[in-house]
């Protein structure tokens, strides 16, 4: 373990580091811009379409995490922060938590208010043929809100981890755009082309069901890529989503704690 992670600075506690990171987040204009854009997308989709809009807002949530965790790399201010804190591991987890909170909490509060005031997600759930099986009750709508907020939290987590791994906000944003945009499109189109339009000829159903796009769809409550048997269960879907995120977080932690700036 490097010396920078073992230095004990008098008066530096996890609570103080977290408060300092939260203060930095709420005083950063780019963070406010991204949070505002994310809330705008969620509000427009919720009120005009009747869906939470998480699929569209997820890229902004990832960018938000990248800005929170990686903004100090370009300016060199990270070195001064590390000297003040004295423990890299503690600072990394504080920033990851701030990224998760910023990406998910404002949108969660907004969606809860919308559900309690208007409940725009009445007919979000669909049966296998695409027809609505609603209306959703308030409890079901709130569960949908929790699922959406969880997806945004994961996006912020991955964005923060990528920014630390790449040591650059711009590189992390490019990777996010490729993963959530071009990457998903290619993941669908390429197997379909090689299988004559029948993806199941290449991979069995259980493989398709654990892919990130399928896990994301199940987290949001859709039926477009549902698995079979236990893979449909929400607890297992949550575990699968966390398993996809874990390598990025561990890699980011390793990079932040052990690598040079």
């Amino acid at each position: 373990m490097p010396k920078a992670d073992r230095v004990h600075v008098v008066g530096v506690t996890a609570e103080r580091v977290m408060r300092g990171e939260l203060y930095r987040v709420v005083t950063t204009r780019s963070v406010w811009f991204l949070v505002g854009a994310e809330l705008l997308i969620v509000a427009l989709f919720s009120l005009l379409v009747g869906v939470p809009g998480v699929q569209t807002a997820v890229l902004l949530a990832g960018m938000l995490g990248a800005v929170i965790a990686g903004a100090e790399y370009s300016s060199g201010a990270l070195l001064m922060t590390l000297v003040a804190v004295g423990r890299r591991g503690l600072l990394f987890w504080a920033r990851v938590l701030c990224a998760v909170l910023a990406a998910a909490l404002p949108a969660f509060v907004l969606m809860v208010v919308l559900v309690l005031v208007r409940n725009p997600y009445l007919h979000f759930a669909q049966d296998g043929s695409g027809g609505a099986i609603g209306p959703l009750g308030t409890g079901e709508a709130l569960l949908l809100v929790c699922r959406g907020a969880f997806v945004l939290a994961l996006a912020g987590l991955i964005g923060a981890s990528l920014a630390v791994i790449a040591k650059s906000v711009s590189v992390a944003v490019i990777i996010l755009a490729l993963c959530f945009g071009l990457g998903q499109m290619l993941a669908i189109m390429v197997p379909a082309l090689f299988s004559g339009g029948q993806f199941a000829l290449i991979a069995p159903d259980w493989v398709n069901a654990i892919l990130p796009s399928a896990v994301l769809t199940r987290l949001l409550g859709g039926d477009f890529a549902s698995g079979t048997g236990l893979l449909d269960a929400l607890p297992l879907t949550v575990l699968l989503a966390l398993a996809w995120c874990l390598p990025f977080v561990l890699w980011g932690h390793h990079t932040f704690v052990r690598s040079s700036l």
Side-chain angles (χ1 to χ4, degrees), residues 129-207:
S129 62
I133 61 174
L136 292 180
T138 301
E140 294 171 317
L142 290 175
L143 177 59
L144 173 64
V145 167
C146 292
R147 290 182 173 195
F150 180 66
V151 170
L152 293 175
L154 293 181
L157 181 65
I158 292 177
S161 301
L162 286 175
V164 173
I165 293 169
K167 299 180 182 179
S168 168
V169 174
S170 57
V171 173
V173 169
I174 292 173
I175 296 174
L176 285 168
L178 291 175
C179 292
F180 289 111
L182 181 62
Q184 289 194 36
M185 183 177 67
L186 291 177
I188 296 173
M189 291 179 60
V190 173
L193 289 173
F194 281 97
S195 64
Q198 307 210 356
F199 185 71
L201 292 178
I202 290 181
D205 289 341
W206 71 268
V207 173

Side-chain angles (χ1 to χ4, degrees), residues 197-233:
Q198 307 210 356
F199 185 71
L201 292 178
I202 290 181
D205 289 341
W206 71 268
V207 173
N208 299 336
I210 65 174
L211 293 176
S213 58
V215 174
L216 175 64
T217 302
R218 292 202 303 277
L219 280 175
L220 296 176
D223 294 319
F224 309 107
S226 59
T228 57
L230 290 176
L231 292 178
D232 281 324

Side-chain angles (χ1 to χ4, degrees), residues 108-146:
F108 173 77
V109 173
L110 174 61
M111 288 187 287
V112 168
V113 171
L114 289 175
V115 168
L116 296 178
V117 173
R118 185 172 175 178
N119 198 0
Y121 313 126
L122 284 174
H123 300 287
F124 177 81
Q126 295 181 340
D127 59 24
S129 62
I133 61 174
L136 292 180
T138 301
E140 294 171 317
L142 290 175
L143 177 59
L144 173 64
V145 167
C146 292

